[in-house]
């Protein structure tokens, strides 16, 4: 895989049973790149190892006063220099390619999972953790994949060099061959402790970051209650814990580095002492001693890769584990088997909510969290306590049934079919950066034009504002660039543009979670009328508590305690259901008791939306 070929057409199906298994899966999927990098690494390492042989040959040629062999030694050194340069260049190139392609694969997997789960992702995993996985953790995972091939090349080079030294000069080669495994594995007992200390450091750093984020987010409230010093003290203690953990971790890694320097130094001293004695006795030549000593010295370089791979694995393992936590989340409880888009009533067997085909159904929930969970479930993003039926049986808990569209379970639909069938717009929708034309260029049925969707969502003032801001595009609002997350727009403008985008897609069933919460009452009424007119003969579900929107719905369902407790029109429920009246009009229990059951019996005599709003 070359960088120019990114992104992958298919990043694959990862092994998410554990962090180490995920790293192994990444390595297997890049085996070609790993072998290529290892081959160049072997060329580089073996060329470096050949230098002592050439230098020793040159020294012996000088001792023997042989000009021909000295010239040959010079030629060998020149060739080895070229090979070292080529091997080092290509090793760096292929290793970095492995790093980037591995990181790109992980990012594509995360992007695919994000698209699959949609808004349900941030309800299962903190948004900050998802961002951390897709940035810092991806880099650490790529580092391990990149270091793996260089470590394999270094380990193979050590074996080859030791075998060569044993054959070249057994008296000293055996000493080096016996010492190298000890040098390579000497730090192995320290790695678990170093890894644990690094994990503790990252955990404390994460808690400190979370505390800082919460403090900043609630700074206004903290100042209002005089709690700045309290939280500042907590953050100071948390930061000191991070500092202490970092020092403990650094001490362990510095000890590992010191051992990697000390033990090779002991080997070199022993080698020189023993070799000099052999040379004095005439058992070996000076050139041979220089060759073995130089080879042993240069072998310290590949030994460094043992420390690097240990550090890379130590840092990448928890990163891989966090990536696995995200990638192991599933949209469905059962495998997808249906790729056609069903039609019909939208029904949730958990709450008993029925949204008849072609009607505008409003849903009133006293608990906003309950409304969010139901909206996710209607979009096929159920969050059962136990994911699979067989696992549910083993745990003794029933699996949560899926929402049905036309009698077909949503979690049995292919993802594309499910997206076409039901679209859920969150309470706080996100606008990506780009032009308005790009924002509305989404997969759709083709039945709803962008202009009609903008008109239904009452985006006239938004278009005017964008036209004034697009002097360089000739006043065309569709060509005006919207900043990231729509920060250049007000909350109401962002909400209406997101609604227009949802209307353009024209799904079989559209689920809107508080679609007019950020607009004034006048605009809210017009938006509700526009949506109902544009979605005529299409299934629409709106979670709302505004009488203006509820009065326009064909039917209203009241959900309390996780179940539908009343169904009817807005006026019927307002007259007959005290609980519904309490939610919509914000009445307290005492006010309801004082008002009595007959207070709202004349609700049918009220004829306009404005009068209902005033009364409610």
């Amino acid at each position: 895989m070359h960088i120019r070929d990114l992104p992958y057409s298919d990043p694959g199906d990862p092994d998410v049973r554990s962090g180490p298994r995920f790293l192994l899966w990444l390595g297997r999927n890049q085996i070609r790149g790993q072998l290529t990098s290892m081959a160049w690494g072997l060329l580089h390492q073996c060329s470096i190892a050949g230098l002592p042989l050439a230098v020793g040959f040159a020294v012996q040629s000088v001792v023997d006063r042989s000009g021909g062999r000295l010239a040959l030694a010079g030629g060998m050194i020149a060739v080895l220099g070229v090979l070292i340069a080529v091997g080092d260049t290509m090793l760096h190139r292929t290793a970095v390619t492995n790093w980037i392609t591995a990181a790109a694969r992980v990012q594509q997997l995360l992007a695919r999972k994000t698209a699959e789960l949609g808004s349900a992702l941030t309800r299962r995993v903190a948004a900050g953790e998802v961002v951390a996985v897709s940035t810092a953790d991806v880099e650490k995972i790529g580092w391990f994949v990149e270091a793996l091939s260089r470590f394999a090349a270094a380990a193979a080079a050590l074996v080859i060099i030791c075998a060569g030294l044993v054959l070249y000069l057994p008296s000293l080669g055996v000493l080096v061959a016996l010492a190298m495994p000890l040098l390579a594995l000497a730090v192995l007992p320290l790695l678990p402790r170093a890894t644990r200390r690094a994990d503790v450091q990252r955990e404390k750093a994460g808690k400190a970051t979370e505390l800082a984020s919460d403090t900043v987010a609630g700074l206004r409230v903290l100042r209002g209650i005089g709690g700045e010093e309290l939280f500042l003290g907590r953050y100071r203690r948390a930061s000191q814990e991070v500092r202490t953990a970092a020092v403990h971790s650094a001490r362990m890694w510095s000890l590992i580095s010191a051992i990697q320097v000390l033990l090779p130094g002991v080997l070199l001293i022993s080698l020189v002492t023993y070799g000099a004695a052999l040379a004095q006795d005439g058992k070996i030549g000076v050139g041979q001693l220089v060759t073995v000593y130089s080879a042993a010295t240069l072998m310290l370089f590949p030994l460094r890769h043992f420390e690097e791979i240990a550090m890379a694995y130590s840092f990448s393992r928890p990163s891989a584990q966090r990536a696995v936590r995200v990638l192991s989340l599933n949209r469905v409880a059962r495998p997808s088997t249906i790729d056609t888009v069903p039609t019909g009533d939208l029904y949730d067997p958990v709450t008993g909510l029925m949204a008849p085909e072609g009607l505008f159904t409003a849903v009133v929930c006293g608990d906003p969290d309950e409304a969010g969970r139901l909206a996710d479930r209607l979009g096929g993003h159920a969050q059962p306590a136990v994911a699979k039926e067989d696992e549910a049986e083993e745990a003794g808990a029933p699996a949560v049934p899926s929402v049905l569209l036309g009698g077909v379970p949503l979690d049995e639909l292919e993802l594309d079919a499910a997206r076409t069938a039901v679209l859920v717009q969150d309470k706080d929708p996100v606008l990506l950066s780009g032009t308005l034309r790009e924002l509305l260029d989404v997969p759709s049925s083709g039945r709803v034009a962008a202009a009609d969707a903008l008109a239904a969502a009452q985006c006239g003032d938004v278009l005017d504002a964008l036209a004034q801001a697009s002097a360089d595009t000739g006043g065309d609002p569709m060509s005006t660039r919207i900043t990231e997350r729509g920060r250049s727009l007000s909350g109401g403008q962002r909400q209406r543009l997101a609604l227009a985008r949802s209307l353009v897609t024209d799904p079989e069933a559209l689920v809107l979670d508080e679609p007019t919460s950020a607009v004034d009452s006048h605009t809210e009424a017009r938006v509700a009328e526009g949506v109902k007119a544009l979605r005529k003969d299409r299934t629409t579900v709106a979670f709302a508590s505004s009488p203006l929107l509820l009065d326009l719905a064909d039917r209203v369902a009241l959900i309390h305690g996780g179940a539908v407790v009343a169904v009817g029109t807005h006026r019927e429920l307002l007259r007959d259901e005290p609980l519904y009246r309490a939610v919509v009009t914000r009445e307290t229990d005492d006010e309801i008791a004082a008002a009595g059951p007959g207070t709202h019996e004349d609700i049918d005599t009220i004829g306009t939306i404005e009068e209902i709003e005033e009364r409610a």
Side-chain angles (χ1 to χ4, degrees):
M1 185 70 181
H2 300 285
I3 295 178
R4 63 174 176 269
D5 298 326
L6 293 175
Y8 291 95
S9 57
D10 180 12
D13 186 16
D15 187 343
V16 294
R17 288 177 290 178
S18 66
R21 288 179 181 272
F22 179 66
L23 292 174
L24 179 62
W25 177 84
L26 275 178
R28 287 202 312 267
N29 276 268
Q30 296 192 233
I31 190 65
R32 183 176 178 180
Q34 294 288 343
L35 291 176
T36 302
S37 182
M38 180 178 174
W40 288 115
L42 275 174
L43 175 64
H44 178 234
Q45 298 282 358
C46 292
S47 298
I48 292 177
L51 282 176
L53 181 62
V55 171
F57 187 66
V59 170
Q60 195 63 44
S61 299
V62 173
V63 173
D64 298 339
R65 299 182 180 277
S66 174
R69 285 188 295 172
L70 183 61
L72 178 61
M76 290 172 59
I77 293 175
V79 171
L80 289 173
V82 173
L83 293 177
I84 290 172
V86 173
D88 192 21
T89 301
M90 296 306 299
L91 171 62
H92 180 75
R93 179 184 179 90
T94 53
V96 171
T97 299
N98 288 337
W99 185 335
I100 294 176
T101 52
R105 187 187 295 274
V106 178
Q107 285 179 326
Q108 277 189 250
L109 290 171
L110 291 169
R112 186 175 68 181
K113 183 60 65 174
T114 301
E116 176 185 339
L117 294 175
S119 62
L121 175 63
T122 53
R123 290 186 175 93
R124 302 188 194 184
V125 181
E129 182 173 353
V130 177
V131 173
V133 170
S134 61
T135 53
D137 287 335
V138 164
E139 182 178 354
K140 291 182 177 67
I141 292 171
W143 175 31
F144 174 76
V145 173
E146 178 262 346
L148 187 61
S149 58
R150 291 190 287 106
F151 164 73
L158 285 176
V159 173
I160 293 173
I161 295 171
C162 287
L165 288 178
V166 170
L167 294 175
Y168 174 72
L169 191 62
S171 56
L172 293 180
V174 171
L175 175 62
V176 176
L178 293 176
M180 281 302 156
L182 297 177
L183 297 182
L185 302 177
V187 298
L188 194 60
L190 299 178
L191 291 181
R193 182 176 297 181
T195 301
R196 287 195 298 270
R197 291 191 178 186
D199 290 344
V200 170
Q201 177 193 350
R202 281 188 291 271
E203 179 183 357
K204 291 186 178 297
K207 290 182 178 179
T209 302
E210 182 180 353
L211 178 61
S213 300
D214 292 343
T215 303
V216 171
L219 189 58
R220 181 176 298 178
V221 177
L222 292 176
R223 287 176 175 172
I225 62 176
E228 304 102 306
E229 289 300 325
L230 174 63
F231 277 83
L232 181 59
R234 290 182 181 178
Y235 183 74
R236 282 173 178 161
R237 290 192 295 272
S239 63
Q240 289 302 311
E241 290 178 359
V242 174
R243 182 190 64 81
T244 303
V247 171
H248 286 171
S249 179
R251 284 175 179 171
M252 186 56 63
W253 287 112
S254 63
L255 177 60
I256 291 175
S257 298
I259 292 175
Q260 291 280 17
V261 173
L262 175 63
L263 295 184
V266 173
L267 171 63
L268 292 179
I269 294 173
S270 303
L271 187 64
V272 170
T273 303
Y274 181 58
L278 292 178
Q280 283 182 341
D281 294 340
K283 295 180 180 179
I284 62 173
V286 177
Q288 291 177 313
L289 175 60
V290 172
T291 299
V292 175
Y293 173 79
S294 301
T297 303
L298 292 177
M299 288 172 72
L300 303 183
F301 175 71
L303 273 176
R304 292 284 184 180
H305 291 287
F306 285 79
E307 178 187 354
E308 182 189 12
I309 196 65
M311 292 185 65
Y313 180 75
S314 172
F315 284 96
S316 65
R317 183 184 57 80
S319 296
Q321 193 61 46
R322 283 191 290 268
V324 162
R325 276 203 299 270
V326 177
L327 296 176
S328 61
L329 298 175
N330 294 315
R331 180 185 72 92
V332 298
R334 290 174 287 276
S336 301
T337 57
I338 304 173
D339 57 1
T340 57
V341 180
T343 59
D345 300 338
L346 186 65
Y347 175 68
D348 176 33
V350 176
T351 60
L353 175 66
M354 170 69 76
E357 181 181 11
L359 296 185
F360 185 6
T361 302
V363 180
V364 175
C365 292
D367 182 1
D369 293 335
E370 185 177 33
R373 290 191 295 269
L374 177 55
D376 285 340
R377 197 160 56 248
L378 291 177
H381 298 296
Q383 300 180 47
V386 182
K388 298 181 180 179
E389 289 186 351
D390 54 350
E391 295 176 356
E393 293 176 359
E394 293 177 2
V400 176
S402 170
V403 170
L404 307 178
L405 179 62
V408 179
L410 287 182
D411 62 5
E412 293 184 5
L413 293 176
E414 293 288 348
L415 182 59
D416 292 341
R419 288 287 184 269
T420 305
V422 182
L423 173 66
V424 178
Q425 177 175 304
D426 294 334
K427 185 182 301 183
D428 298 313
V430 175
L431 302 181
L432 301 179
S433 59
T435 64
L436 180 57
R437 183 175 288 105
E438 293 171 341
L439 175 68
L440 300 178
D441 184 16
V442 293
S444 65
S445 66
R447 292 178 47 180
V448 178
D452 295 335
L454 289 168
Q458 302 300 313
C459 294
D461 63 319
V462 185
L463 295 177
D464 293 339
L466 293 177
Q468 295 177 1
S470 59
D472 55 339
T473 60
D476 181 12
M478 300 298 291
S479 300
T480 303
R481 188 168 186 82
I482 298 173
T483 58
E484 181 183 3
R485 303 183 72 87
R487 289 192 175 94
S488 58
L489 305 173
S490 68
Q493 290 174 329
R494 287 196 300 270
Q495 193 174 56
R496 281 177 284 154
L497 284 181
L499 177 60
R501 178 180 59 189
S502 300
L503 294 174
V504 166
T505 62
D506 189 38
E508 289 293 329
L510 176 60
V511 180
L512 304 172
D513 190 359
E514 295 288 354
T516 57
S517 60
V519 299
D520 58 78
S521 58
H522 178 68
T523 305
E524 182 180 31
R526 294 169 59 191
V527 168
E529 292 173 349
V531 171
K532 182 176 181 180
L534 192 64
R535 294 284 299 173
K536 185 178 181 180
D537 300 327
R538 288 289 208 183
T539 306
T540 305
V541 179
F543 289 84
S545 58
S546 167
L548 290 170
L549 190 149
L550 296 173
D551 188 54
L552 286 172
D554 297 314
R555 67 200 306 268
V556 180
L558 173 64
I559 294 181
H560 179 70
V564 175
V565 296
V567 177
T569 65
H570 169 62
R571 301 187 184 198
E572 292 171 350
L573 295 177
L574 194 62
R575 181 187 61 231
D576 301 331
E577 291 292 336
L579 181 60
Y580 178 84
R581 193 162 57 245
V583 175
V584 174
T585 64
R586 306 297 192 271
E587 290 183 2
T588 65
D589 294 339
D590 293 339
E591 290 173 337
I592 294 174
T599 306
H600 295 271
E601 290 181 353
D602 61 341
I603 191 66
D604 285 329
T605 63
I606 301 177
T608 65
I609 294 176
E610 289 77 8
E611 289 172 340
I612 293 176
E613 175 69 5
E614 181 180 357
R615 179 65 173 267

